Amino acid sequence: MVVVLSFQPLHFHSPQLPKTKTHYGLGVARCGIAEPSGKPAPFGEKTKYKDGLFEKGFMSLFGRKMGKFAAKEKKTERESSKGFWDYDYDSFVDVSKRVMQGRSRLQQQEVVREVLLSMLPPGAPAQFRKLFPPTKWAAEFNAALTVPFFHWLVGPSEVIEIEVNGVKQKSGVLIKKCRYLENSGCVGMCVNMCKIPTQDFFTNEFGLPLTMTPNFEDMSCEMAYGKVPPPFEEDPVSKQPCFSEICSMANPSSSICHKLQA
C-alpha cells in the first residue's frame, strides 16, 4: 500500500544501492514466501508466507495507525488484549477493509495520506525534496529501496528498466503478485488504499512522480518512479470491475467496482 517509511532522508549517507537476497532471480527480495516453489501461488490462490519480527512490526505499526480511523468491531476479550507483536497480515487487511466502511473513495485516500504523514518526522517531505529532486538517480534509488523494504507489504519484487520521458532507466519495480491485492481480493482497496494515495504522496508531498499500474489479470503491479501519474478519470483502473468471485464486498451487477464510483 505505502512505500515511505524507509525513505526518511536523514538516514541516507550514500548512493550505494542496497543488496538484497535473491530467491528466484537476480534482485528479487526473498520476502518469506513459504510456498514449496519459492514463488507466489497461482492466481485465485493465496500465497503462503512466513513472516518474521521485521514484517510483523510493520504490519502492527500500520495496522495500529490505521485502526484509529477504522469502523469499530466487536472484540472478544482475547482480541482486546492483543499486543503489538500479535498483529499479522490478516489483521492488517481487516483494518484496511474497516477503514473503507462508510467513506467515499476520496475520504479513504485521505486517511492513508494522514497515516503516512503521521509516521514521518516533522519537515520530512521538505527534506526529502531537497535530497531527492526528481532526477533519474533519485528515481532509481527509491526503486532499489522499495524491493527489500516493502516485501512485507507487496510480496516479491524486482527492479526493472523502464522509459521515462524518452530516457531508459532502472526506476521501475515489478511486483510479482501483490500480497495486498491477493489477500484482500478487492479492486477498490487496491486502488483507493494503495495505488492512488501512494502515487499522490510521492508526487505531491515528496515531489518525486510515481505511477503504479496494477495488472488485475495476474495481480502483478508495476511501479514507475519518475513517471507522472494520469488523472484518475483517465486511468484504466477507474473502469475496473470487481473480482466478483473472490471479493467479499463485490457487487457483481456493476460493470465497474462500486468502491471506485463514490
Side-chain angles (χ1 to χ4, degrees):
M1 178 188 65
V2 277
V3 190
V4 63
L5 285 185
S6 61
F7 301 149
Q8 294 183 17
L10 296 179
H11 293 175
F12 297 147
H13 304 289
S14 169
Q16 185 68 35
L17 300 183
K19 297 180 179 179
T20 63
K21 294 182 179 179
T22 58
H23 196 235
Y24 56 89
L26 183 62
V28 182
R30 182 179 179 86
C31 80
I33 285 184
E35 297 288 340
S37 66
K39 300 179 181 180
F43 183 88
E45 299 178 21
K46 288 185 180 181
T47 305
K48 297 182 179 65
Y49 286 86
K50 184 177 181 180
D51 298 310
L53 290 179
F54 174 85
E55 290 81 8
K56 289 184 178 181
F58 273 101
M59 292 171 198
S60 297
L61 181 61
F62 274 94
R64 282 173 171 263
K65 288 282 187 179
M66 292 177 64
K68 297 178 181 179
F69 300 91
K72 301 301 180 182
E73 63 175 343
K74 185 177 181 179
K75 297 182 179 180
T76 64
E77 182 177 346
R78 181 179 179 182
E79 290 173 329
S80 299
S81 61
K82 181 184 290 186
F84 183 85
W85 297 106
D86 294 329
Y87 281 75
D88 57 18
Y89 205 84
D90 288 338
S91 302
F92 171 66
V93 171
D94 177 66
V95 169
S96 298
K97 289 182 178 179
R98 289 190 286 112
V99 167
M100 297 177 73
Q101 294 177 20
R103 286 189 172 87
S104 68
R105 174 174 60 84
L106 295 178
Q107 289 172 335
Q108 293 167 35
Q109 295 166 19
E110 180 59 26
V111 166
V112 177
R113 177 180 175 276
E114 290 187 36
V115 169
L116 292 179
L117 286 173
S118 72
M119 294 182 177
L120 297 174
Q127 186 71 4
F128 186 99
R129 284 172 176 265
K130 291 180 181 179
L131 295 181
F132 296 101
T135 63
K136 175 183 176 182
W137 177 86
E140 292 184 333
F141 187 65
N142 279 274
L145 285 178
T146 298
V147 174
F149 283 105
F150 289 90
H151 59 76
W152 72 270
L153 178 62
V154 299
S157 62
E158 63 180 331
V159 173
I160 60 173
E161 185 177 74
I162 61 173
E163 187 171 304
V164 179
N165 298 324
V167 178
K168 291 185 177 181
Q169 55 192 56
K170 291 186 176 181
S171 65
V173 175
L174 177 61
I175 299 168
K176 300 294 183 175
K177 185 185 181 189
C178 181
R179 186 179 186 182
Y180 193 63
L181 179 56
E182 74 169 340
N183 275 264
S184 67
C186 180
V187 170
M189 188 180 298
C190 165
V191 176
N192 298 339
M193 302 289 289
C194 178
K195 170 184 159 62
I196 299 299
T198 304
Q199 286 181 170
D200 288 350
F201 199 84
F202 269 89
T203 303
N204 300 323
E205 301 292 340
F206 282 170
L208 179 63
L210 169 66
T211 297
M212 297 177 68
T213 307
N215 182 333
F216 294 103
E217 296 295 324
D218 61 7
M219 294 188 171
S220 64
C221 183
E222 180 179 303
M223 303 177 68
Y225 287 96
K227 186 176 180 180
V228 178
F232 178 74
E233 294 74 19
E234 298 176 16
D235 196 315
V237 301
S238 65
K239 304 296 189 292
Q240 182 65 32
C242 292
F243 285 131
S244 58
E245 296 183 359
I246 60 176
C247 181
S248 61
M249 298 182 288
N251 181 359
S253 65
S254 176
S255 61
I256 298 176
C257 174
H258 62 291
K259 293 293 185 181
L260 302 178
Q261 301 178 52

